[in-house]
């Protein structure tokens, strides 16, 4: 949860209506090969160097859909970020959401990838925990799976003892329309957020 709190606070701080994730980077011309940006995010809380804090992706909203906080409307906040990104010029196409775009509004990555489409859809439908749990239980490997996750988590973040983390009292922040991605590009000719039905 705190990672998502940090991402929404950072988006508010840098005045972005989008969120970050590792993603194929935008291109400026058809036929150009885009690079994969695994170093997107927030330098202040990153374990590695962040060189792409100017590229956002609609699928960056998926973790917010999965949080059940009880006090904040995280699903509504996630939907707000997703909405603001897909209504950007070339933010969606006839295959769904666009892979990524620059916060300046001058370029997109017009790719079709599984993670930029299905990950967000599954998260918006409350994830697939029930299906995965049934499968792990059926194979009798749930305890081993949880042990591996706890071990891997502990190697990076320390003991998951349940202690409160700094910032857990902060709310998740919604996007602010005043900070929308500039509408500089011509939209795709069909299936854009503004195309007539």
């Amino acid at each position: 949860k705190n990672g998502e709190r940090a991402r929404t606070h950072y988006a508010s701080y840098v005045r972005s209506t989008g969120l970050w994730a590792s993603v194929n980077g935008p291109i400026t011309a058809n036929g150009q090969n885009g690079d994969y940006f695994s170093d997107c995010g927030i330098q202040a809380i990153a374990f590695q160097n962040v060189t792409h804090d100017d590229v956002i992706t609609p699928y960056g909203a998926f973790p917010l859909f999965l949080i059940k906080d009880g006090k904040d409307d995280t699903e509504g906040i996630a939907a707000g970020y997703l909405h603001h990104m897909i209504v950007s010029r070339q933010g969606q196409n006839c295959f769904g959401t666009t892979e990524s775009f620059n916060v300046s509004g001058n370029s997109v990555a017009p790719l079709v990838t599984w993670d930029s489409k299905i990950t967000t859809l599954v998260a918006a439908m409350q994830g697939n925990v029930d299906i995965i749990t049934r499968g792990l239980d059926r194979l009798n490997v749930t305890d081993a799976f949880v042990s591996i996750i706890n071990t891997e988590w502990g190697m990076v973040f320390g003991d998951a003892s349940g202690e409160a983390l700094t910032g857990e009292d902060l709310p998740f922040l919604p996007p602010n329309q005043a900070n929308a991605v500039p509408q500089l590009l011509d939209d795709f000719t069909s299936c854009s957020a503004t195309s007539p039905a």
Side-chain angles (χ1 to χ4, degrees):
K1 291 181 187 179
N2 267 16
E4 297 315 302
R5 281 188 185 92
R7 289 180 350 118
T8 64
H9 279 258
Y10 184 72
S12 177
Y13 175 73
V14 299
R15 300 174 190 254
S16 174
T17 54
L19 297 169
W20 302 263
S22 295
V23 70
N24 290 286
I27 60 172
T28 55
N30 285 338
Q32 180 182 5
N33 288 328
D35 293 326
Y36 187 77
F37 297 163
S38 62
D39 52 355
C40 299
I42 307 167
Q43 186 61 61
I45 61 172
F47 289 106
Q48 298 177 349
N49 192 34
V50 171
T51 58
H52 298 286
D53 65 352
D54 60 343
V55 176
I56 56 178
T57 176
Y59 99 92
F62 91 83
L64 280 170
F65 279 110
L66 296 173
I67 294 173
K68 301 296 171 255
D69 185 73
K71 60 181 179 177
D72 292 317
D73 176 19
T74 52
E75 289 178 34
I77 292 170
Y81 279 104
L82 180 61
H83 170 77
H84 284 294
M85 287 184 279
I86 65 174
V87 298
S88 296
R89 297 280 171 86
Q90 299 185 12
Q92 66 179 347
N93 56 65
C94 60
F95 300 108
T97 57
T98 296
E99 175 81 359
S100 71
F101 37 93
N102 192 291
V103 295
S104 66
N106 64 8
S107 59
V108 301
L111 300 174
V112 176
T113 64
W114 175 268
D115 54 344
S116 72
K117 314 285 184 282
I118 302 304
T119 306
T120 306
L121 176 64
V122 171
M125 295 174 10
Q126 304 307 301
N128 58 5
V129 171
D130 294 339
I131 296 167
I132 299 297
T133 300
R134 284 195 306 267
L136 292 172
D137 287 348
R138 186 175 304 129
L139 296 170
N140 198 30
V141 295
T142 303
D143 291 340
F145 176 78
V146 170
S147 176
I148 290 169
I149 295 297
N150 287 338
T151 299
E152 296 296 319
W153 175 272
M155 290 187 328
V156 176
F157 300 106
D159 180 29
S161 62
E163 292 180 28
L165 298 172
T166 302
E168 285 189 351
D169 57 327
L170 297 174
F172 295 89
L173 296 181
N176 182 333
Q177 175 59 36
N179 303 329
V181 173
Q183 303 290 305
L184 303 177
L185 298 171
D186 290 332
D187 220 336
F188 291 122
T189 55
S190 65
C191 299
S192 73
T194 57
S195 292

